[in-house]
């Protein structure tokens, strides 16, 4: 599908080889469990989000680093119609992850940065120079040079979007005042605000007090999502499906939301499209392979609305 949006998106993100183990339940400390099956797939929050952006119709460039064993990751992005001209190769092992997926579709992930820690300031600047004022830069916390990318993106006049995952203490040392939009879940919001077991509205108000320049898209899993901007809140209820693997659900949601915004959809419409895309993703196994095309998402929404009319 040809991207039609006016806004380009530069995703400075990770590229991982995912080692996925299907298990009945997660291994506990000191326990050895037998996997039902094993597979190697392509992932990393960066790659997943770039694939979701492209499948949703966005113009997306991916800036990242692969290792000597990571050529297939670049090919996967090319096949998804992502611009890979800003991907560099280094002579070390690629970033990788060990993922347990249980019978309920939940996941447990260990990530090794590998080549994802090899971004350079020169590489970041080369990517930013290709963008225009008003374009979008998407960042996560799975690569090095995050602070530099945040600072330079703002200097180039770009809209900065941060998915602060995985959340950790090192992120608190980074100046996040340049972020225009945070896309985060409750755990990440609680970490940034030092709050726990509070209502989403309280979390969002606390985030706004800490980062008054930013908007916030808070994902709530089975309870949907909430968007906060200038004191106003928009809510999106989830589409109910049987979850078999939640590995790329958040990345799918992020990519589809940002692509919809880039293609001039309003926030409420973007949230609905993103919610539908994530619902499809959790109903399939795998990370990048579970991300649906825009046509499938639109068909899913249409069928849901028709069923709702019949029920009424």
């Amino acid at each position: 599908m040809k991207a039609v949006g006016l806004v380009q998106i530069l995703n400075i993100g990770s590229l991982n080889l995912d080692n996925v183990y299907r298990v009945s339940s997660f291994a506990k400390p000191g326990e050895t469990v037998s996997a039902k099956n094993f597979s190697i797939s392509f992932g990393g929050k960066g790659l997943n989000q770039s694939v979701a952006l492209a499948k949703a119709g966005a113009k997306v460039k991916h800036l990242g680093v692969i290792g000597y064993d990571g050529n297939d990751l670049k090919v996967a992005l090319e096949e998804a119609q992502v611009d890979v001209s800003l991907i560099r190769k280094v002579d070390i092992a690629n970033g990788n992850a060990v993922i347990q997926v249980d019978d309920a579709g939940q996941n447990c992930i260990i990530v090794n940065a590998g080549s994802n820690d090899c971004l350079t300031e020169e590489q970041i600047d080369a990517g930013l120079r290709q963008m225009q004022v008003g374009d979008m830069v998407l960042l996560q916390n799975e690569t090095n040079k995050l602070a530099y990318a945040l600072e330079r993106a703002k200097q180039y006049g770009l809209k900065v979007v941060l998915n602060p995952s995985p959340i950790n203490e090192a992120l608190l040392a980074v100046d996040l005042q340049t972020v225009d939009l945070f896309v985060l879940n409750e755990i990440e919001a609680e970490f940034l605000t030092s709050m726990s077991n509070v209502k989403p509205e309280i979390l969002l108000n606390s985030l706004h007090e800490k980062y008054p320049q930013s908007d916030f898209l808070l994902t709530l899993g089975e309870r949907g999502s909430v968007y906060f901007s200038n004191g106003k809140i928009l809510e999106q209820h989830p589409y109910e499906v049987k979850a078999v693997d939640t590995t790329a659900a958040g990345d799918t949601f992020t990519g589809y939301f940002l692509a919809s915004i880039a293609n001039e959809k309003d926030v409420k419409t973007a949230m609905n499209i993103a919610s539908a895309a994530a619902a499809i993703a959790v109903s399939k196994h795998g990370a990048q392979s579970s991300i649906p095309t825009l046509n499938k998402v639109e068909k899913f929404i249409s069928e849901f609305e028709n069923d709702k009319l019949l029920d009424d």
Side-chain angles (χ1 to χ4, degrees):
M1 175 179 176
K2 183 178 179 180
V4 296
L6 301 177
V7 174
Q8 292 191 86
I9 301 174
L10 175 66
N11 184 8
I12 303 176
S14 57
L15 298 157
N16 279 351
L17 293 169
D18 289 346
N19 300 283
V20 184
Y21 297 82
R22 295 285 306 182
V23 294
S24 297
S25 58
F26 298 146
K28 301 178 179 64
E31 180 184 21
T32 299
V33 300
S34 296
K36 294 182 175 180
N37 59 59
F38 166 77
S39 63
I40 297 177
S41 60
F42 306 144
K45 298 195 72 64
L47 181 144
N48 292 340
Q49 291 175 13
S50 281
V51 170
L53 285 162
K55 286 189 174 182
K59 299 175 182 178
V60 55
K61 297 175 182 286
H62 191 102
L63 191 156
V65 184
I66 56 173
Y68 58 75
D69 51 346
N71 287 331
D72 288 345
L73 297 168
K74 187 175 179 179
V75 172
L77 286 173
E78 287 180 307
E79 291 177 346
Q81 306 301 310
V82 175
D83 185 330
V84 298
S85 60
L86 296 169
I87 292 178
R88 189 167 59 90
K89 187 176 182 180
V90 294
D91 192 26
I92 67 171
N94 203 93
N96 59 82
V98 175
I99 303 174
Q100 298 180 67
V101 180
D102 69 10
D103 287 342
Q106 296 300 310
N107 62 68
C108 179
I109 305 175
I110 300 172
V111 177
N112 175 51
S115 56
N116 292 311
D117 262 353
C118 295
L119 283 173
T120 66
E121 294 178 359
E122 293 77 14
Q123 183 183 7
I124 291 170
D125 282 328
L128 293 173
R129 283 196 295 269
Q130 294 188 19
M131 309 303 284
Q132 303 293 321
V133 173
D135 282 342
M136 195 182 301
V137 173
L138 172 59
L139 298 156
Q140 310 86 24
N141 195 31
E142 286 188 341
T143 63
N144 65 325
K145 299 294 180 181
L146 176 61
Y148 183 83
L150 284 167
E151 178 184 359
R152 294 292 284 159
K154 184 56 66 175
Q155 291 173 358
Y156 275 89
L158 306 177
K159 181 175 181 180
V160 179
V161 180
L162 176 64
N163 175 209
S165 178
I167 198 77
N168 54 35
E169 291 290 342
L171 191 64
L172 297 181
V174 176
D175 182 6
L176 303 181
Q177 297 299 326
T178 58
V179 176
D180 294 295
L181 171 63
F182 286 87
V183 181
L184 70 176
N185 61 29
E186 281 184 286
I187 293 174
E188 293 150 4
E190 289 176 351
F191 189 93
L192 290 175
T193 60
S194 299
M195 305 179 79
S196 61
N197 299 317
V198 298
K199 294 181 178 180
E201 293 80 4
I202 296 175
L203 272 179
L204 289 166
N205 280 310
S206 181
L207 285 167
H208 177 63
E209 289 177 5
K210 190 171 184 178
Y211 307 109
Q213 79 292 342
S214 305
D215 288 352
F216 304 92
L217 178 54
L218 180 64
T219 58
L220 304 170
E222 295 178 352
R223 291 174 291 145
S225 57
V226 183
Y227 191 93
F228 182 98
S229 178
N230 296 320
K232 297 181 179 179
I233 291 179
L234 288 175
E235 296 183 14
Q236 173 65 42
H237 296 294
Y239 287 88
E240 295 184 6
V241 296
K242 177 177 174 55
V244 299
D245 188 348
T246 61
T247 302
D251 297 331
T252 300
F253 184 95
T254 298
Y256 262 85
F257 177 83
L258 296 178
S260 298
I261 294 298
N263 287 327
E264 301 183 319
K265 303 291 186 184
D266 61 80
V267 170
K268 183 60 177 175
T269 300
M271 292 174 72
N272 184 53
I273 293 171
S275 181
I280 296 172
V282 302
S283 67
K284 298 181 179 180
H285 293 297
Q288 177 242 330
S289 60
S290 72
I291 300 171
T293 62
L294 181 58
N295 286 339
K296 288 184 178 179
V297 175
E298 291 174 339
K299 181 180 179 181
F300 178 89
I301 293 173
S302 177
E303 290 176 349
F304 177 86
E305 291 176 347
N306 287 338
D307 289 344
K308 187 176 179 181
L309 286 173
L310 291 174
D311 290 340
D312 291 342

